[in-house]
Amino acid sequence: MAEAGSFADRVKQQADIVRVIGEYVRLKKSGQNFTGLCPFHGEKTPSFAVHPVKQIFHCFGCGKGGDVFSFVMEMEKCPFPDAVKVVAEKCGIPVPRPKERTPEERQENQQRAALIEIHREAQAFFVRQLESTAEGRAARAYLGDRGLNAESIAQFGIGYAPSGGDVLLRQLKPKYVEKLLVESGVISRDQSGARLFDRFRRRITFPIANESGKIVAFGCRALGDDLPKYLNSPETPIYSKSNVLYHMDRAKEPIRRQDFAILVEGYMDAIAVARAGIGNVVASCGTSLAEPQIKLLGRFTKRVIVNYDPDVAGQAATERSLTLLLEQDFEVRVLALPAIGDKKADPDLFIREKGAEAYIKLLKEAPPYVDYLIARARQMDLSTGEGKQRALNFLMPYVQRIPNRLLRSEWATRIAQQLRIDEPVLRAALNKSATERRGEVKVAPQLVGKPAKQIERRLIRMLAEAEGFRKELAQRLQHGRLYEGLETEKVFAALIVAGLSDEPIPTTEIGAQLEERERRLFFEILFEDAQEPTWEEAESCLDALRRRQIEQELAKVQKTIEANPSGAGLRELLERKQELMKRLTAAG
Ligand SMILES: [Zn+2]
């Protein structure tokens, strides 16, 4: 991973794992280690430990462990190069600009940087327009009616695009070539191709940021009756609507912490929910969710509550999203808000009318998606056989996606009861389709092996940290092949290779070479409270391994003799046995 001399390696040398992890986890000094509540699994008593000397962490509960980079990768759900950058930034180490490999790449990067810069300027422009123009005042009044005060307007960067038609253009034109302005999507070209104009006019603007918080697009709502009511940025080199979730840049931390997300349709909904104190909300900004958006969400949680608009389009979008979410193994609940008077309520309207608490209460009670679907099916005409068949056809594809057989069976019973369908008929249909669906979810392999014997644990610890004699120890172990056949053989093999060199033991690299089960064991041993090792102790451990080796060979010889007591070579075997017995006695 962090190659010697590389930037990653330098960052690792300079970074303090306790400080970096301390930004995510409340750590307490405990002996030579620091401990805290594991951020990767729910727990009430700390089993998460950080080793300040070896610069590693390990959770005795869930088994996660590694170095500062693996911690950040797991926490931020980001790839290795991003984790290096995050750690560098946290530690104030300047990040070198990545080298572009080809002139095309360089040009592309320059273009992206310029497009981001245009968005940054457009954002500042829209905010100024809202704050300090007569037109902006009208927009502020509108936002005020929607319950957005100055603080929320600032928090979500809401702005205003004036009606002039070229006010933004005039500001940007001196700095950027026309081609780039059109590519950015904030400026449009008329059909003749001769004239440029502002794409957004007389609209409230909502900046849409990518995951790292850079503004890459705008969503805009007409202030008057202009059509379309909502107008968004087009697809550009920095923005693809199927790749971005509105509010994701701010929601990712609360989503990870609470391990679930609320999915709403529009940015006004996301803002309303976030303002209600529920930060883990994102909006798909369109009628339906796309697969890349689900994958993005899936990096932070696999649990989602879908709260789309209750109109027909919203229902269809909910059902389409359900299919995709279930395919990606999400645990899905659906919140269908009750109508307010005769108005169908989206999250924004509901929170404005009924308050945040009422919303939170319904959120907590949001039923699993199958309940929602049964309720939908019950709205169909169930008085005829055909009607029931239609309802069943509607439900079946979803029920099939429930990976757990028992749960599927439970739902079958409920559906049969609720729709008054003959249960055996329903089950037959289910079983038929069950054989057609893909395999069951695999059970995670058992990660914890038998505990390594005390002698092995001590030797591993010595190899890892007894600076005075680890090389000598590694040589003896290797020479006598004393570790072969041990359950911890692979840990020994890796440590011996490293121990024969004069370099410090690269703990994390060794961990990375090992299988997960062995890596866990290795880290556990490193974190154990232990006395300072001595060479005398090492020698007695080596003796024990030698005895074990002799005993094993003796058993083998004995077995061969018993298998063929009159065979050729018996004399040699008996001699060998004698010799081994003698050595065993000598070994004590
Ligand atoms: Zn854990």
mmCIF file of all heavy atoms in Angstrom, residues 253-289:
data_model
loop_
_atom_site.group_PDB
_atom_site.id
_atom_site.type_symbol
_atom_site.label_atom_id
_atom_site.label_comp_id
_atom_site.label_asym_id
_atom_site.label_seq_id
_atom_site.Cartn_x
_atom_site.Cartn_y
_atom_site.Cartn_z
ATOM 1 N N GLU A 253 -22.009 12.156 6.579
ATOM 2 C CA GLU A 253 -21.574 11.888 7.946
ATOM 3 C C GLU A 253 -22.742 11.418 8.832
ATOM 4 O O GLU A 253 -22.661 10.370 9.462
ATOM 5 C CB GLU A 253 -20.863 13.130 8.501
ATOM 6 C CG GLU A 253 -20.335 13.001 9.930
ATOM 7 C CD GLU A 253 -19.500 11.759 10.142
ATOM 8 O OE1 GLU A 253 -18.814 11.311 9.206
ATOM 9 O OE2 GLU A 253 -19.562 11.211 11.263
ATOM 10 N N PRO A 254 -23.864 12.188 8.886
ATOM 11 C CA PRO A 254 -25.002 11.676 9.672
ATOM 12 C C PRO A 254 -25.553 10.336 9.166
ATOM 13 O O PRO A 254 -25.996 9.517 9.971
ATOM 14 C CB PRO A 254 -26.070 12.762 9.548
ATOM 15 C CG PRO A 254 -25.512 13.856 8.733
ATOM 16 C CD PRO A 254 -24.073 13.581 8.453
ATOM 17 N N ILE A 255 -25.486 10.095 7.872
ATOM 18 C CA ILE A 255 -25.983 8.813 7.350
ATOM 19 C C ILE A 255 -25.126 7.677 7.893
ATOM 20 O O ILE A 255 -25.625 6.669 8.375
ATOM 21 C CB ILE A 255 -25.959 8.786 5.801
ATOM 22 C CG1 ILE A 255 -27.043 9.694 5.232
ATOM 23 C CG2 ILE A 255 -26.134 7.362 5.281
ATOM 24 C CD1 ILE A 255 -27.014 9.813 3.721
ATOM 25 N N ARG A 256 -23.812 7.879 7.829
ATOM 26 C CA ARG A 256 -22.920 6.839 8.312
ATOM 27 C C ARG A 256 -23.113 6.597 9.806
ATOM 28 O O ARG A 256 -23.172 5.481 10.273
ATOM 29 C CB ARG A 256 -21.472 7.236 8.021
ATOM 30 C CG ARG A 256 -20.494 6.069 7.985
ATOM 31 C CD ARG A 256 -19.086 6.561 8.136
ATOM 32 N NE ARG A 256 -18.993 7.583 9.160
ATOM 33 C CZ ARG A 256 -19.126 7.359 10.460
ATOM 34 N NH1 ARG A 256 -19.360 6.156 10.893
ATOM 35 N NH2 ARG A 256 -19.037 8.351 11.316
ATOM 36 N N ARG A 257 -23.277 7.716 10.527
ATOM 37 C CA ARG A 257 -23.408 7.604 11.976
ATOM 38 C C ARG A 257 -24.684 6.883 12.357
ATOM 39 O O ARG A 257 -24.703 6.044 13.244
ATOM 40 C CB ARG A 257 -23.383 9.008 12.587
ATOM 41 C CG ARG A 257 -22.755 9.068 13.959
ATOM 42 C CD ARG A 257 -22.546 10.481 14.463
ATOM 43 N NE ARG A 257 -23.635 11.372 14.124
ATOM 44 C CZ ARG A 257 -23.471 12.549 13.519
ATOM 45 N NH1 ARG A 257 -22.280 12.962 13.186
ATOM 46 N NH2 ARG A 257 -24.508 13.308 13.244
ATOM 47 N N GLN A 258 -25.786 7.222 11.680
ATOM 48 C CA GLN A 258 -27.073 6.632 12.059
ATOM 49 C C GLN A 258 -27.389 5.373 11.279
ATOM 50 O O GLN A 258 -28.381 4.710 11.529
ATOM 51 C CB GLN A 258 -28.178 7.666 11.859
ATOM 52 C CG GLN A 258 -27.973 8.873 12.762
ATOM 53 C CD GLN A 258 -29.031 9.928 12.506
ATOM 54 O OE1 GLN A 258 -30.217 9.645 12.540
ATOM 55 N NE2 GLN A 258 -28.606 11.139 12.225
ATOM 56 N N ASP A 259 -26.550 5.091 10.292
ATOM 57 C CA ASP A 259 -26.713 3.913 9.452
ATOM 58 C C ASP A 259 -28.094 3.823 8.810
ATOM 59 O O ASP A 259 -28.655 2.744 8.693
ATOM 60 C CB ASP A 259 -26.405 2.634 10.243
ATOM 61 C CG ASP A 259 -26.251 1.441 9.307
ATOM 62 O OD1 ASP A 259 -26.081 1.668 8.093
ATOM 63 O OD2 ASP A 259 -26.328 0.296 9.778
ATOM 64 N N PHE A 260 -28.643 4.962 8.431
ATOM 65 C CA PHE A 260 -29.765 4.927 7.487
ATOM 66 C C PHE A 260 -29.939 6.308 6.869
ATOM 67 O O PHE A 260 -29.427 7.293 7.399
ATOM 68 C CB PHE A 260 -31.062 4.424 8.149
ATOM 69 C CG PHE A 260 -31.832 5.455 8.942
ATOM 70 C CD1 PHE A 260 -32.885 6.169 8.356
ATOM 71 C CD2 PHE A 260 -31.528 5.690 10.271
ATOM 72 C CE1 PHE A 260 -33.606 7.102 9.089
ATOM 73 C CE2 PHE A 260 -32.240 6.621 11.006
ATOM 74 C CZ PHE A 260 -33.281 7.327 10.423
ATOM 75 N N ALA A 261 -30.605 6.308 5.702
ATOM 76 C CA ALA A 261 -30.802 7.564 4.990
ATOM 77 C C ALA A 261 -32.275 7.741 4.682
ATOM 78 O O ALA A 261 -33.020 6.770 4.577
ATOM 79 C CB ALA A 261 -30.002 7.556 3.694
ATOM 80 N N ILE A 262 -32.689 9.000 4.589
ATOM 81 C CA ILE A 262 -34.041 9.291 4.133
ATOM 82 C C ILE A 262 -33.925 9.818 2.719
ATOM 83 O O ILE A 262 -33.120 10.707 2.447
ATOM 84 C CB ILE A 262 -34.715 10.330 5.044
ATOM 85 C CG1 ILE A 262 -34.828 9.757 6.447
ATOM 86 C CG2 ILE A 262 -36.084 10.717 4.509
ATOM 87 C CD1 ILE A 262 -34.517 10.756 7.502
ATOM 88 N N LEU A 263 -34.705 9.215 1.836
ATOM 89 C CA LEU A 263 -34.632 9.586 0.430
ATOM 90 C C LEU A 263 -35.892 10.347 0.052
ATOM 91 O O LEU A 263 -37.001 9.824 0.200
ATOM 92 C CB LEU A 263 -34.503 8.317 -0.410
ATOM 93 C CG LEU A 263 -34.402 8.501 -1.907
ATOM 94 C CD1 LEU A 263 -33.098 9.182 -2.278
ATOM 95 C CD2 LEU A 263 -34.511 7.149 -2.584
ATOM 96 N N VAL A 264 -35.732 11.586 -0.389
ATOM 97 C CA VAL A 264 -36.882 12.391 -0.809
ATOM 98 C C VAL A 264 -36.697 12.780 -2.271
ATOM 99 O O VAL A 264 -35.662 12.528 -2.877
ATOM 100 C CB VAL A 264 -37.043 13.649 0.076
ATOM 101 C CG1 VAL A 264 -37.349 13.270 1.511
ATOM 102 C CG2 VAL A 264 -35.807 14.529 0.014
ATOM 103 N N GLU A 265 -37.750 13.437 -2.830
ATOM 104 C CA GLU A 265 -37.721 13.705 -4.263
ATOM 105 C C GLU A 265 -36.965 14.990 -4.609
ATOM 106 O O GLU A 265 -36.084 14.993 -5.447
ATOM 107 C CB GLU A 265 -39.156 13.790 -4.766
ATOM 108 C CG GLU A 265 -39.453 12.797 -5.861
ATOM 109 C CD GLU A 265 -40.909 12.865 -6.289
ATOM 110 O OE1 GLU A 265 -41.239 13.651 -7.184
ATOM 111 O OE2 GLU A 265 -41.712 12.123 -5.701
ATOM 112 N N GLY A 266 -37.357 16.102 -3.987
ATOM 113 C CA GLY A 266 -36.842 17.394 -4.439
ATOM 114 C C GLY A 266 -35.961 18.088 -3.421
ATOM 115 O O GLY A 266 -35.905 17.707 -2.248
ATOM 116 N N TYR A 267 -35.260 19.135 -3.889
ATOM 117 C CA TYR A 267 -34.371 19.822 -2.942
ATOM 118 C C TYR A 267 -35.128 20.550 -1.845
ATOM 119 O O TYR A 267 -34.663 20.635 -0.716
ATOM 120 C CB TYR A 267 -33.394 20.777 -3.642
ATOM 121 C CG TYR A 267 -33.787 21.245 -5.012
ATOM 122 C CD1 TYR A 267 -34.686 22.280 -5.180
ATOM 123 C CD2 TYR A 267 -33.249 20.630 -6.134
ATOM 124 C CE1 TYR A 267 -35.041 22.702 -6.454
ATOM 125 C CE2 TYR A 267 -33.609 21.056 -7.404
ATOM 126 C CZ TYR A 267 -34.509 22.084 -7.558
ATOM 127 O OH TYR A 267 -34.873 22.494 -8.788
ATOM 128 N N MET A 268 -36.342 21.058 -2.145
ATOM 129 C CA MET A 268 -37.111 21.706 -1.078
ATOM 130 C C MET A 268 -37.453 20.699 0.021
ATOM 131 O O MET A 268 -37.482 21.042 1.201
ATOM 132 C CB MET A 268 -38.406 22.328 -1.641
ATOM 133 C CG MET A 268 -38.205 23.658 -2.354
ATOM 134 S SD MET A 268 -37.384 24.917 -1.352
ATOM 135 C CE MET A 268 -38.758 25.549 -0.398
ATOM 136 N N ASP A 269 -37.737 19.470 -0.391
ATOM 137 C CA ASP A 269 -38.029 18.421 0.599
ATOM 138 C C ASP A 269 -36.795 18.135 1.453
ATOM 139 O O ASP A 269 -36.878 18.056 2.680
ATOM 140 C CB ASP A 269 -38.459 17.127 -0.095
ATOM 141 C CG ASP A 269 -39.764 17.312 -0.851
ATOM 142 O OD1 ASP A 269 -40.661 17.999 -0.318
ATOM 143 O OD2 ASP A 269 -39.874 16.783 -1.969
ATOM 144 N N ALA A 270 -35.652 17.994 0.776
ATOM 145 C CA ALA A 270 -34.420 17.690 1.513
ATOM 146 C C ALA A 270 -34.110 18.819 2.498
ATOM 147 O O ALA A 270 -33.736 18.568 3.651
ATOM 148 C CB ALA A 270 -33.253 17.502 0.544
ATOM 149 N N ILE A 271 -34.293 20.061 2.039
ATOM 150 C CA ILE A 271 -34.004 21.194 2.919
ATOM 151 C C ILE A 271 -34.958 21.194 4.116
ATOM 152 O O ILE A 271 -34.540 21.381 5.259
ATOM 153 C CB ILE A 271 -34.095 22.522 2.127
ATOM 154 C CG1 ILE A 271 -32.928 22.609 1.140
ATOM 155 C CG2 ILE A 271 -34.108 23.720 3.068
ATOM 156 C CD1 ILE A 271 -32.995 23.797 0.190
ATOM 157 N N ALA A 272 -36.239 20.936 3.852
ATOM 158 C CA ALA A 272 -37.222 20.932 4.940
ATOM 159 C C ALA A 272 -36.871 19.865 5.978
ATOM 160 O O ALA A 272 -36.913 20.122 7.184
ATOM 161 C CB ALA A 272 -38.624 20.685 4.378
ATOM 162 N N VAL A 273 -36.509 18.682 5.505
ATOM 163 C CA VAL A 273 -36.200 17.589 6.429
ATOM 164 C C VAL A 273 -34.913 17.899 7.202
ATOM 165 O O VAL A 273 -34.850 17.730 8.426
ATOM 166 C CB VAL A 273 -36.086 16.246 5.666
ATOM 167 C CG1 VAL A 273 -35.624 15.132 6.607
ATOM 168 C CG2 VAL A 273 -37.426 15.880 5.035
ATOM 169 N N ALA A 274 -33.910 18.418 6.498
ATOM 170 C CA ALA A 274 -32.647 18.754 7.165
ATOM 171 C C ALA A 274 -32.880 19.846 8.207
ATOM 172 O O ALA A 274 -32.308 19.816 9.295
ATOM 173 C CB ALA A 274 -31.605 19.199 6.139
ATOM 174 N N ARG A 275 -33.747 20.808 7.874
ATOM 175 C CA ARG A 275 -34.016 21.884 8.824
ATOM 176 C C ARG A 275 -34.759 21.371 10.049
ATOM 177 O O ARG A 275 -34.703 21.968 11.126
ATOM 178 C CB ARG A 275 -34.832 22.988 8.150
ATOM 179 C CG ARG A 275 -34.000 23.839 7.207
ATOM 180 C CD ARG A 275 -34.818 25.002 6.705
ATOM 181 N NE ARG A 275 -35.201 25.892 7.783
ATOM 182 C CZ ARG A 275 -36.429 26.384 7.960
ATOM 183 N NH1 ARG A 275 -37.395 26.053 7.140
ATOM 184 N NH2 ARG A 275 -36.677 27.193 8.956
ATOM 185 N N ALA A 276 -35.474 20.277 9.874
ATOM 186 C CA ALA A 276 -36.176 19.691 11.011
ATOM 187 C C ALA A 276 -35.202 18.965 11.932
ATOM 188 O O ALA A 276 -35.604 18.314 12.895
ATOM 189 C CB ALA A 276 -37.264 18.739 10.516
ATOM 190 N N GLY A 277 -33.926 19.061 11.632
ATOM 191 C CA GLY A 277 -32.921 18.449 12.495
ATOM 192 C C GLY A 277 -32.540 17.044 12.065
ATOM 193 O O GLY A 277 -31.841 16.336 12.778
ATOM 194 N N ILE A 278 -33.027 16.631 10.889
ATOM 195 C CA ILE A 278 -32.723 15.290 10.412
ATOM 196 C C ILE A 278 -31.732 15.428 9.268
ATOM 197 O O ILE A 278 -32.097 15.688 8.126
ATOM 198 C CB ILE A 278 -34.007 14.585 9.936
ATOM 199 C CG1 ILE A 278 -35.043 14.608 11.062
ATOM 200 C CG2 ILE A 278 -33.721 13.158 9.501
ATOM 201 C CD1 ILE A 278 -36.457 14.454 10.583
ATOM 202 N N GLY A 279 -30.453 15.285 9.602
ATOM 203 C CA GLY A 279 -29.405 15.595 8.628
ATOM 204 C C GLY A 279 -29.176 14.517 7.590
ATOM 205 O O GLY A 279 -28.600 14.769 6.538
ATOM 206 N N ASN A 280 -29.633 13.281 7.895
ATOM 207 C CA ASN A 280 -29.312 12.164 7.007
ATOM 208 C C ASN A 280 -30.315 12.024 5.863
ATOM 209 O O ASN A 280 -30.835 10.951 5.597
ATOM 210 C CB ASN A 280 -29.223 10.855 7.802
ATOM 211 C CG ASN A 280 -30.423 10.624 8.692
ATOM 212 O OD1 ASN A 280 -31.076 11.576 9.121
ATOM 213 N ND2 ASN A 280 -30.742 9.373 8.968
ATOM 214 N N VAL A 281 -30.562 13.139 5.190
ATOM 215 C CA VAL A 281 -31.543 13.132 4.106
ATOM 216 C C VAL A 281 -30.861 13.503 2.793
ATOM 217 O O VAL A 281 -29.998 14.380 2.750
ATOM 218 C CB VAL A 281 -32.698 14.115 4.418
ATOM 219 C CG1 VAL A 281 -32.209 15.545 4.561
ATOM 220 C CG2 VAL A 281 -33.776 14.040 3.345
ATOM 221 N N VAL A 282 -31.247 12.805 1.720
ATOM 222 C CA VAL A 282 -30.762 13.163 0.385
ATOM 223 C C VAL A 282 -31.941 13.159 -0.582
ATOM 224 O O VAL A 282 -32.957 12.502 -0.335
ATOM 225 C CB VAL A 282 -29.687 12.173 -0.143
ATOM 226 C CG1 VAL A 282 -28.407 12.308 0.642
ATOM 227 C CG2 VAL A 282 -30.199 10.746 -0.136
ATOM 228 N N ALA A 283 -31.797 13.934 -1.677
ATOM 229 C CA ALA A 283 -32.868 13.981 -2.674
ATOM 230 C C ALA A 283 -32.345 13.460 -3.994
ATOM 231 O O ALA A 283 -31.201 13.720 -4.368
ATOM 232 C CB ALA A 283 -33.373 15.412 -2.830
ATOM 233 N N SER A 284 -33.193 12.704 -4.686
ATOM 234 C CA SER A 284 -32.773 12.170 -5.973
ATOM 235 C C SER A 284 -32.877 13.230 -7.056
ATOM 236 O O SER A 284 -32.323 13.063 -8.129
ATOM 237 C CB SER A 284 -33.604 10.942 -6.331
ATOM 238 O OG SER A 284 -34.974 11.223 -6.196
ATOM 239 N N CYS A 285 -33.581 14.339 -6.780
ATOM 240 C CA CYS A 285 -33.691 15.442 -7.740
ATOM 241 C C CYS A 285 -34.183 14.976 -9.089
ATOM 242 O O CYS A 285 -33.603 15.264 -10.123
ATOM 243 C CB CYS A 285 -32.353 16.124 -7.951
ATOM 244 S SG CYS A 285 -32.026 17.314 -6.703
ATOM 245 N N GLY A 286 -35.246 14.241 -9.063
ATOM 246 C CA GLY A 286 -35.808 13.754 -10.308
ATOM 247 C C GLY A 286 -36.846 12.766 -9.904
ATOM 248 O O GLY A 286 -36.961 12.452 -8.719
ATOM 249 N N THR A 287 -37.602 12.262 -10.851
ATOM 250 C CA THR A 287 -38.700 11.405 -10.451
ATOM 251 C C THR A 287 -38.203 10.070 -9.946
ATOM 252 O O THR A 287 -38.809 9.483 -9.072
ATOM 253 C CB THR A 287 -39.662 11.167 -11.618
ATOM 254 O OG1 THR A 287 -38.862 10.902 -12.758
ATOM 255 C CG2 THR A 287 -40.528 12.373 -11.838
ATOM 256 N N SER A 288 -37.100 9.603 -10.481
ATOM 257 C CA SER A 288 -36.726 8.270 -10.041
ATOM 258 C C SER A 288 -35.228 8.158 -9.831
ATOM 259 O O SER A 288 -34.433 8.926 -10.347
ATOM 260 C CB SER A 288 -37.260 7.261 -11.057
ATOM 261 O OG SER A 288 -36.371 6.224 -11.233
ATOM 262 N N LEU A 289 -34.893 7.203 -9.030
ATOM 263 C CA LEU A 289 -33.519 7.014 -8.602
ATOM 264 C C LEU A 289 -32.766 6.228 -9.679
ATOM 265 O O LEU A 289 -33.309 5.307 -10.267
ATOM 266 C CB LEU A 289 -33.605 6.193 -7.326
ATOM 267 C CG LEU A 289 -32.517 6.221 -6.311
ATOM 268 C CD1 LEU A 289 -32.247 7.624 -5.843
ATOM 269 C CD2 LEU A 289 -32.948 5.358 -5.122
#
